[in-house]
């Protein structure tokens, strides 16, 4: 089988990344199983990278923040001794639990929430970030255009929804 036939077969199987890799002939052909495994691993890697990019774009973070940059201040309190670890390992998402960050402006709530969202995305989790004022505006638009049910269905695909600046917005029923 030549590379042109392989590329055509990959395209037909919707392995477009693999088709492009095969055209470049980046792997030696002397060991067919190693060559195919290398091709498949590269396809997986490219798909993962594309998924992560798509998840970042979908999340709409105002800025990307990481836990490495977060400063854990001593005034941060947790409800239980293992709450911090549960937060950091994202187990609250699997348990369908909420994480609520309360504090005065400038204490790092948005940074922490965004950093957890970034970590979730890196673990392949669907995330959406909204400033509550923007969410309320969108909800009112969806309500007026009679598409609120469609919007609710769209929201169900997110495994983590981050609502920021919740205390700043007055909103109607």
């Amino acid at each position: 089988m030549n590379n042109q036939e392989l590329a055509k077969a990959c395209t037909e199987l919707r392995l477009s990344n693999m088709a492009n890799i095969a055209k470049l002939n980046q792997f030696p052909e002397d060991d067919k199983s190693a060559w195919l495994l290398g091709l498949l691993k590269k396809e997986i890697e490219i798909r993962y990278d594309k998924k992560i990019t798509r998840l970042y774009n979908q999340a709409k973070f105002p800025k990307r923040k990481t836990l490495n940059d977060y400063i854990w201040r001593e005034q941060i309190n947790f409800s239980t001794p293992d709450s911090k670890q549960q937060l950091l390992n994202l187990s609250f998402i699997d348990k369908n639990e909420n994480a609520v960050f309360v504090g005065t402006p400038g204490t790092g709530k948005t940074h922490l929430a965004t950093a957890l969202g970034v970590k979730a995305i890196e673990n392949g989790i669907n995330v959406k970030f909204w400033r509550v004022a923007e969410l309320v505006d969108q909800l009112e638009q969806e309500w007026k255009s009679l598409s609120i049910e469609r919007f609710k269905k769209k929201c169900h695909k997110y495994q983590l929804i981050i609502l920021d600046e919740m205390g700043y917005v007055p909103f109607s029923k």
Side-chain angles (χ1 to χ4, degrees):
M1 177 186 273
N2 66 32
N3 282 344
Q4 192 172 11
E5 286 177 292
L6 178 62
K8 184 180 177 198
C10 290
T11 302
E12 193 172 321
L13 291 170
R14 295 183 186 197
L15 300 170
S16 58
N17 302 314
M18 193 181 296
N20 292 333
I21 296 164
K23 286 178 189 173
L24 296 174
N25 196 16
Q26 294 180 336
F27 304 99
E29 290 191 40
D30 45 330
D31 182 355
K32 297 290 184 188
S33 60
W35 178 82
L36 182 58
L37 181 61
L39 208 55
L40 292 170
K41 283 183 175 180
K42 194 69 174 167
E43 175 74 20
I44 291 167
E45 180 184 319
I46 291 170
R47 284 185 183 198
Y48 174 80
D49 290 345
K50 285 181 177 182
K51 177 181 180 179
I52 298 302
T53 299
R54 180 183 51 78
L55 290 175
Y56 274 123
N57 291 337
Q58 163 189 289
K60 304 256 189 242
F61 294 119
K63 290 183 180 176
R64 274 195 212 173
K65 302 281 187 172
T66 66
L67 290 169
N68 293 337
D69 302 330
Y70 187 72
I71 298 169
W72 293 95
R73 295 185 168 90
E74 60 185 53
Q75 66 264 30
I76 297 173
N77 297 311
F78 293 97
S79 57
T80 64
D82 60 336
S83 294
K84 180 178 178 182
Q85 191 54 42
Q86 290 174 350
L87 191 67
L88 294 176
N89 68 20
L90 307 174
S91 65
F92 69 97
I93 297 171
D94 294 331
K95 295 176 187 175
N96 292 317
E97 295 177 344
N98 296 319
V100 179
F101 307 139
V102 179
T104 57
T107 55
K109 299 178 301 293
T110 300
H111 184 146
L112 180 56
T114 302
L116 291 170
V118 166
K119 182 175 182 177
I121 284 175
E122 290 168 355
N123 284 284
I125 295 172
N126 284 323
V127 176
K128 181 65 176 170
F129 180 99
W130 271 299
R131 296 206 188 282
V132 172
E134 295 165 357
L135 175 59
V136 169
D137 288 344
Q138 187 168 357
L139 284 168
E140 287 178 351
Q141 289 173 4
E142 299 290 345
W143 182 264
K144 288 175 186 173
S145 66
L146 304 174
S147 55
I148 195 78
E149 290 302 318
R150 187 190 75 206
F151 180 73
K152 283 169 45 177
K153 284 181 184 176
K154 184 178 172 184
C155 288
H156 281 290
K157 75 176 182 178
Y158 303 121
Q159 296 163 279
L160 174 62
I161 295 176
I162 300 170
L163 301 176
D164 192 33
E165 298 181 356
M166 191 164 206
Y168 302 136
V169 181
F171 45 89
S172 66
K173 288 184 181 179

